[in-house]
Amino acid sequence: MSVVTEPKLISGNSNRPLAHSIARRMSMHRGMSVGLVDTRVERFNDGEIFVEVYENVRGEDMFIIQSTSNPANDNLMELLIMSDALRRSSADRITAVIPYFGYARQDRRTKARTPISAKLVANLLTESGVDRILTLDLHAAQIQGFFDIPVDNLYASPVFALDILHHFKGKMNDVMVVSPDVGGVARARELAKRIEAPLSIVDKRREKAGEIAGMTVIGDVSGKKCIIVDDICDTAGTLCKAAEVLMEAGATEVHAYITHGVLSGPAVERVSKSVMKSLVITDSIEPSETVKACPNIRIVPTAPMFAQAILNTWSGTSVSSLFETETLTPIYEGMYTRD
């Protein structure tokens, strides 16, 4: 006799606020309280990670919410050990919900004698007992092929489109989407199509790795409110430089929509002093107090989208439906209006 189980959420330490937000959204959808499984995740004196799950998970559909952001190695090990603990506790299915997939930038060999670390992480996750992956805006779509288990890669662009249409209401004729490099054109084009805006490109020229020799704007941005779109902002050096180049080319305003706000080192200070009017990021990585205090950084929530994706995964319904504006609009009802 089959038993219908409810989806159960469990979280590591990488982004507890997001995990609690997802649980609250699922409670709203389900009409019943959804909480996080009571768990102990701590470290021994030498730094070893220990996990203990206090609730029975036998035969349950488990969802581990854990970004592999800074400290990347600690958070990755927490995810692996939690998965192993659940597997050995006879969980029926384990889904790793990874809002920010670390090591994704190492998705190919850029030179001789270098690793493909994203593939290594994929192998580690699979061997730890993870049955499927739910993530957001992978740095490169081909990383899905590194896994021999199902991978659902959500996109921030539908949510960004709702945000742009809301905040630039009545000014959409002046908006232009900008890709910060040639490699990001597909991502920028997809957003531009959603909001029916033209597309421009900032072409970078490098003389050696890590140093930008020059930037050229491809397209006429004169009199436009430019929106730079990308998946990751780390130190923000390239982003701030691109904003300056766009302003010099005649743009009236520059905004940036970035999925994963890594924002390491001098990033926040650079953004606060830059010509950018706003930097919009998601909460896929838990924002620091410095990020929250920065006046021109704004955070868009991903909990509504992840909560619905988890419910769809649990119930066996379409996750790709969340790529459509018609599906996301009611999920984000109350946050954005277009009329």
Side-chain angles (χ1 to χ4, degrees):
M1 182 178 178
S2 60
V3 178
V4 178
T5 61
E6 293 290 325
K8 284 197 171 183
L9 308 182
I10 188 170
S11 175
N13 294 318
S14 71
N15 199 339
R16 298 282 295 186
L18 176 58
H20 284 293
S21 295
I22 292 172
R24 283 195 298 271
R25 292 294 304 197
M26 288 179 64
S27 298
M28 293 169 58
H29 291 316
R30 299 290 295 154
M32 57 191 296
S33 179
V34 177
L36 300 178
V37 170
D38 191 12
T39 312
R40 178 162 61 113
V41 182
E42 58 184 38
R43 283 157 178 74
F44 293 125
N45 290 335
D46 62 353
E48 283 187 15
I49 296 168
F50 174 75
V51 172
E52 183 177 4
V53 181
Y54 291 122
E55 298 180 24
N56 178 32
V57 297
R58 184 179 296 273
E60 299 286 357
D61 197 356
M62 302 298 303
F63 293 83
I64 308 173
I65 302 170
Q66 178 81 338
S67 283
T68 52
S69 49
N70 184 42
N73 299 328
D74 284 2
N75 288 330
L76 175 59
M77 282 303 298
E78 278 189 16
L79 175 56
L80 296 172
I81 293 171
M82 291 179 79
S83 175
D84 186 72
L86 294 174
R87 179 172 60 91
R88 296 178 187 277
S89 303
S90 301
D92 182 57
R93 182 174 67 169
I94 302 169
T95 301
V97 181
I98 311 174
Y100 172 66
F101 188 92
Y103 285 100
R105 285 175 281 184
Q106 299 183 51
D107 62 325
R108 65 196 185 282
R109 297 186 71 196
T110 55
K111 58 182 71 174
R113 296 174 296 281
T114 58
I116 305 180
S117 301
K119 171 59 177 169
L120 173 62
V121 171
N123 290 343
L124 290 169
L125 288 167
T126 304
E127 289 301 315
S128 71
V130 171
D131 294 300
R132 69 183 304 130
I133 303 290
L134 177 62
T135 188
L136 175 68
D137 268 349
L138 283 171
H139 184 61
Q142 66 265 22
I143 292 174
Q144 296 175 76
F146 291 175
F147 291 88
D148 292 324
I149 56 176
V151 177
D152 289 309
N153 182 31
L154 301 177
Y155 298 98
S157 59
V159 183
F160 284 165
L162 291 175
D163 191 272
I164 292 167
L165 291 169
H166 175 74
H167 283 89
F168 291 86
K169 186 164 34 178
K171 306 173 185 176
M172 289 304 299
N173 289 336
D174 297 329
V175 168
M176 174 173 275
V177 176
V178 179
S179 172
D181 52 46
V182 175
V185 169
R187 180 181 292 104
R189 186 187 294 119
E190 203 272 336
L191 178 60
K193 183 179 178 181
R194 285 182 181 275
I195 63 175
E196 298 180 354
L199 176 66
S200 181
I201 304 168
V202 175
D203 182 39
K204 294 195 294 280
R205 179 169 52 86
R206 297 182 187 272
E207 291 184 351
K208 58 182 178 179
E211 292 187 12
I212 300 172
M215 287 183 169
T216 304
V217 178
I218 302 174
D220 184 9
V221 299
S222 299
K224 295 292 186 180
K225 300 180 188 298
C226 291
I227 296 177
I228 302 172
V229 58
D230 208 351
D231 64 323
I232 295 174
C233 177
D234 192 347
T235 60
T238 301
L239 181 64
C240 293
K241 178 62 178 175
E244 291 176 9
V245 171
L246 289 168
M247 291 296 289
E248 291 169 2
T252 57
E253 295 178 5
V254 177
H255 304 261
Y257 279 74
I258 311 293
T259 306
H260 306 297
V262 177
L263 300 175
S264 59
V268 176
E269 183 180 1
R270 284 174 175 169
V271 170
S272 65
K273 294 179 179 178
S274 75
V275 298
M276 276 191 299
K277 196 165 184 180
S278 70
L279 167 62
V280 180
I281 59 175
T282 76
D283 55 357
S284 64
I285 297 171
E286 184 178 359
S288 65
E289 292 303 318
T290 307
V291 171
K292 293 177 184 176
C294 186
N296 56 342
I297 295 180
R298 187 161 54 83
I299 301 167
V300 169
T302 58
M305 179 169 55
F306 273 114
Q308 190 62 56
I310 289 171
L311 287 171
N312 288 9
T313 300
W314 166 73
S315 63
T317 54
S318 172
V319 172
S320 62
S321 63
L322 296 175
F323 305 161
E324 303 301 325
T325 302
E326 292 75 13
T327 308
L328 274 182
T329 300
I331 296 173
Y332 278 85
E333 187 177 5
M335 296 185 191
Y336 302 121
T337 57
R338 295 180 59 178
D339 300 324

